[in-house]
Amino acid sequence: QLQASGGGLVQAGGSLRLSCAASGSTFSGYGMGWFRQAPGKERDFVASISGSGTTTYYADSVKGRFTISRDNAKNTVYLQMNSLKPEDTAVYYCAGGSSSYRLRLGKYDYWGQGTLVTVSS
């Protein structure tokens, strides 16, 4: 089970950190990722991270602004979002899968509920 939190309303240029807590004892064995879906748009990949945390992937639209990380001792994955833009407004979802690469391709095994991020201009 995946539980995302940390969304909210922020002005353009601001920052937010999303968290996703996972239940279970095999968290470090899974790649984790973040996806987002803006109103009226398709769901997009945002970022993913390998079980060990050594490999990360990012969508071009967030490279240099967002950072994904994980704390396996806390069964939690994070998404630090800086320099936020109005176009980052979306519901953000965390997901788990067999690898960070497969998550990059949109292939997941576990899906959490979303958290809304709203960026005002």
Side-chain angles (χ1 to χ4, degrees):
Q1 189 172 8
L2 302 175
Q3 183 81 24
S5 61
L9 174 64
V10 63
Q11 288 189 331
S15 298
L16 279 176
R17 189 176 81 154
L18 305 183
S19 300
C20 176
S23 59
S25 60
T26 58
F27 179 73
S28 62
Y30 287 91
M32 296 296 296
W34 290 93
F35 294 80
R36 67 186 181 185
Q37 187 165 20
K41 295 188 176 181
E42 293 184 352
R43 184 176 64 208
D44 291 329
F45 167 80
V46 175
S48 63
I49 187 168
S50 62
S52 64
T54 55
T55 301
T56 57
Y57 295 100
Y58 294 92
D60 288 343
S61 59
V62 307
K63 275 182 185 176
R65 300 188 297 121
F66 290 11
T67 302
I68 189 170
S69 63
R70 65 190 296 159
D71 185 337
N72 286 341
K74 296 182 178 179
N75 279 18
T76 301
V77 61
Y78 305 97
L79 185 68
Q80 177 66 44
M81 305 185 295
N82 298 329
S83 302
L84 282 161
K85 305 175 181 179
E87 51 264 43
D88 294 319
T89 294
V91 177
Y92 284 71
Y93 300 90
C94 64
S98 59
S99 76
S100 55
Y101 182 73
R102 285 178 58 83
L103 285 164
R104 182 189 185 194
L105 301 178
K107 300 181 185 300
Y108 58 88
D109 298 310
Y110 303 98
W111 190 258
Q113 101 294 351
T115 185
L116 176 62
V117 172
T118 304
V119 184
S120 63
S121 57

